[in-house]
Amino acid sequence: MEKQVTIRRLETNDDMRLIQILEREVWNMDPIPTHQTFTASKNGGILVGAFNEDKLIGYCYGFAGFNAGKAYLCSHMMGIHPDFQSAGIGRVLKEEQRKIAQDIGYDLIQWTFDPLESRNAYLNTSKLKGICSTYIENCYGDMDDGLNRGLPTDRLQIEWWISSEHVTKGWKPEQFRFEAPFSTLTSDLGHPVLEVKGEELEREAEAFEIPVPKQFQAIKKEQPELAMDWRLKIRAIFQQLFAEGYALAGVRKTEEAVQYYQFIPRQRIQLQQAERGET
């Protein structure tokens, strides 16, 4: 991270107002009310900010979740100012979030992201070692902001088992023999087109690599019909893989127009707690 950045927890009402300014700069939408974020911060939520001098240039916001008798942190939003994106700030924010969450007593953090935003997928899986085996169709319904307008808001749900061996020791993709059943063509505007014939996933494989475009926002802007084609094809492929017991665990970066999402059997992921021996 080349830019001078400091990280600290956000806890005051003044901090909550700084978040609102940044939300408008990042998404150009109405921000979360300060009374909501402030209340969450006092009741099991975690808000972490990245500062360049006195300016908030990145933050992540999570609140307490509870399901089936288990508490977890729902990491709802993370935003980085456009001038500071691709500088490693997102990873630093998430690692600080993880440290605070462990201190509080959480062992699971969950959040969602667009399956076709491969840069986010790389951070969430290959860098942070989160995993995913849940696909949510049109999670937020129709949204009118610049990043989501015009497509179903499909999301992958990340599980970040922050004290697991998968996270603390790291997994090695070299342990698996990946098959790449899908190929891509090139559109008239130079964007990748996923070629699906319908039978690629019918045979068993130890692990799969699935291509996803690097520049999905450019595809949405220049060829919206191709963006929808990617959305629907990837939805069907990922849902089939999850139903057959695979989980997304990493992303292989390439010099091509696509990255490759790596799916491995979920049962082979080491999710037991490294210190307490729990599952």
Side-chain angles (χ1 to χ4, degrees), residues 132-133 135 156 171 176-179 205-212 234 237-242 245-251 260-266 269:
C132 175
S133 57
Y135 194 105
L156 292 178
W171 81 286
F176 295 89
R177 184 178 65 257
F178 289 95
E179 296 190 18
E206 181 182 34
F208 289 101
E209 287 191 332
I210 308 298
V212 173
I234 286 297
I237 293 166
F238 285 15
Q239 286 179 332
Q240 182 178 347
L241 285 167
F242 292 156
Y246 293 89
L248 172 62
V251 175
Y260 286 88
Y261 285 25
Q262 297 176 313
F263 289 81
I264 64 176
R266 182 182 172 101
I269 300 175

Side-chain angles (χ1 to χ4, degrees), residues 183-187 189-195 211-216 219 223 226-227 229-230 256-259:
S183 59
T184 58
L185 306 173
T186 302
S187 75
L189 296 182
H191 296 304
V193 179
L194 185 62
E195 196 174 23
V212 173
K214 285 183 179 179
Q215 303 295 334
F216 184 60
I219 296 175
Q223 288 189 278
L226 178 57
D229 184 70
W230 271 105
E256 307 168 26
V258 295
Q259 317 278 36

